[in-house]
Amino acid sequence: MNSSSASSVPSAASPTRTLASYGWDDGFVDSFAPFAGKGFLPGRIVRVDRGRVDAVVPAGPADADGVRTVLADTALVATGDPMRVPCTGDWAVIDLDNGRSGDHLDGVVRALLPRRTAFARSASSKRSEGQILAANVDHAVIAVSLADALDLGRIERFVSLAWESGAQPLVVLTKADLVADPAGLEYLVADAGTAVPGVQVLAVSAATGEGVEVLSAVLAGGTSALLGRSGAGKSTLANALLGEEVQEVRAIRDRDGKGRHTTTTRDLLPLPWGGVLIDTPGLRGVGMWDAEGGLARTFSDVEALAEECRFHDCAHESEPGCAVQEAVASGTLPERRLHSYRKLLRENQRIVAKTDVRLRAEIRRDWKQKQALGRHMMERKRGPRG
């Protein structure tokens, strides 16, 4: 970013020097322009906790470092929509002149800047709602532990959501030191690669350092989100990438090589070579969330075969001239992969249908409230009867 962009941000310390390592660039400068000159600062949210956020902002004259961390309230941007609440990785408009000192707050969040990418999943509740796990991410790093049998279906699920988010997915097979046979490790990497065409797959061991340097080079300079199940080794991997014990890691069980989940919040951490890493808590499940485009990219091989079917609405079951079934019969397309494609597609269609029903209900409710308000105003204009 050039020095002329810094004038767009009111700060004693220029964000071209202070926030660039956190992802601040000309595009966010443009997004912040409507708030420039009003005494506000840009800040990147590094942690969210109960209606408050930690955010890094340009340092003041008294600060020795290039940035400082402030605690801000999010009441002004609170919303009932979980897809629009502040999230780790968001860029925010921070007002430090109106903090409540009695609550040990430094300021308030006035607005969120538009997100470039957002990794979302279906919320864990039974309600048809989505949940944003990380915002403004360049690489979605999907950690898969080799202490367990390789679950290709789960990898396909994560990668589909990653593609849909707008980020570049990257599959990392952790705990590679548990696979003693190099040929066996190569087979596992290749097997994972067949499930996610066009996605890089790396085998990494935080214990031995294998693959860490390559992964560091891939992630350098951008924002990466570390995602995966509990016990996938995310915190250990985060420490290896950060070069220090930042994230707590509990002892590995000798019996099965599995770690215990320790991360409880999504934290954005600066990487030593540039860029930042968002470490997320382990996910027991990750439901599909309006990821039709992501599924199309993950299953591009199935989609390409479907284009060759005799009927455009082929269900790929028993229809004549089905290129997908022919590929399964010839062994070109694994039957497991077709089953996974159908399963994830059905799940995604169900959540989209539920969401449409919820949105229609919300529109009806809002309309009824407006109608009731309109009647109330008309009655006030007419005055008391009699």
Side-chain angles (χ1 to χ4, degrees):
M1 188 167 109
N2 56 48
S3 58
S4 62
S5 300
S7 61
S8 301
V9 181
S11 167
S14 167
T16 59
R17 298 190 303 272
T18 61
L19 293 184
S21 61
Y22 282 85
W24 184 255
D25 59 24
D26 288 336
F28 288 119
V29 167
D30 292 340
S31 298
F32 187 79
F35 305 96
K38 298 181 180 180
F40 304 141
L41 292 176
R44 189 157 201 195
I45 295 176
V46 299
R47 182 185 175 100
V48 179
D49 187 18
R50 301 177 185 178
R52 300 178 179 183
V53 300
D54 289 331
V56 289
V57 300
D63 296 300
D65 298 326
V67 295
R68 58 185 171 128
T69 303
V70 298
L71 179 63
D73 185 79
T74 62
L76 294 179
V77 293
T79 171
D81 184 352
M83 299 289 284
R84 297 171 59 193
V85 299
C87 177
T88 302
D90 270 323
W91 283 96
V93 179
I94 309 292
D95 179 1
L96 296 182
D97 293 331
N98 292 287
R100 300 198 302 268
S101 58
D103 292 334
H104 305 290
L105 291 169
D106 300 302
V108 296
V109 176
R110 288 284 176 181
L112 298 178
L113 300 186
R115 291 166 176 158
R116 293 179 182 172
T117 64
F119 189 98
R121 67 164 178 171
S122 177
S124 56
S125 66
K126 295 181 180 180
R127 300 169 62 184
S128 54
E129 294 179 343
Q131 179 189 23
I132 300 292
L133 298 182
N136 298 311
V137 171
D138 300 306
H139 285 96
V141 183
I142 298 149
V144 180
S145 173
L146 289 178
D148 303 312
L150 205 58
D151 189 335
L152 298 180
R154 183 177 295 117
I155 294 174
E156 290 163 340
R157 176 183 294 270
F158 270 96
V159 168
S160 296
L161 291 171
W163 279 130
E164 190 66 33
S165 76
Q168 171 70 44
L170 171 65
V171 176
V172 175
L173 305 181
T174 64
K175 306 180 184 179
D177 55 288
L178 297 181
V179 182
D181 180 18
L185 183 59
E186 288 182 8
Y187 173 80
L188 291 170
V189 171
D191 201 21
T194 62
V196 286
V199 176
Q200 186 174 11
V201 180
L202 295 175
V204 173
S205 169
T208 66
E210 177 185 356
V212 174
E213 187 174 345
V214 175
L215 178 59
S216 299
V218 173
L219 304 184
T223 297
S224 305
L226 196 50
L227 305 149
R229 296 189 69 197
S230 297
K234 296 189 306 301
S235 294
T236 304
L237 180 58
N239 287 334
L241 292 169
L242 294 163
E244 57 182 319
E245 296 292 319
V246 175
Q247 300 295 79
E248 180 189 358
V249 179
R250 296 185 186 176
I252 295 175
R253 300 196 298 260
D254 292 334
R255 177 169 53 87
D256 55 11
K258 298 179 182 179
R260 296 179 61 190
H261 166 65
T262 55
T263 304
T264 57
T265 59
R266 293 183 285 277
D267 299 324
L268 186 148
L269 307 161
L271 293 168
W273 59 86
V276 291
L277 178 71
I278 300 175
D279 189 14
T280 66
L283 303 171
R284 292 182 179 178
V286 55
M288 302 305 294
W289 180 259
D290 197 7
E292 183 178 353
L295 284 168
R297 294 195 68 170
T298 301
F299 294 92
S300 57
D301 51 347
V302 181
E303 296 266 328
L305 287 167
E307 292 292 325
E308 301 175 10
C309 291
R310 180 183 303 176
F311 303 106
H312 69 85
D313 58 347
C314 183
H316 317 308
E317 293 178 350
S318 58
E319 295 86 348
C322 175
V324 174
Q325 285 293 347
E326 290 175 3
V328 171
S330 68
T332 307
L333 178 70
E335 187 173 7
R336 180 213 66 80
R337 188 154 170 78
L338 177 58
H339 174 74
S340 179
Y341 174 66
R342 287 172 171 164
K343 176 183 176 181
L344 294 177
L345 199 60
R346 286 195 301 267
E347 181 182 330
N348 190 68
Q349 290 169 343
R350 284 197 300 270
I351 194 65
V352 169
K354 286 182 180 180
T355 304
D356 288 344
V357 170
R358 179 175 62 85
L359 289 175
R360 288 196 294 270
E362 290 178 354
I363 291 171
R364 286 196 300 270
R365 185 181 68 245
D366 292 343
W367 181 81
K368 288 180 180 179
Q369 290 175 345
K370 290 178 180 177
Q371 289 291 98
L373 179 60
R375 288 193 297 268
H376 176 68
M377 296 301 294
M378 290 296 294
E379 290 174 0
R380 288 189 60 182
K381 283 185 178 181
R382 295 190 187 117
R385 296 180 181 180

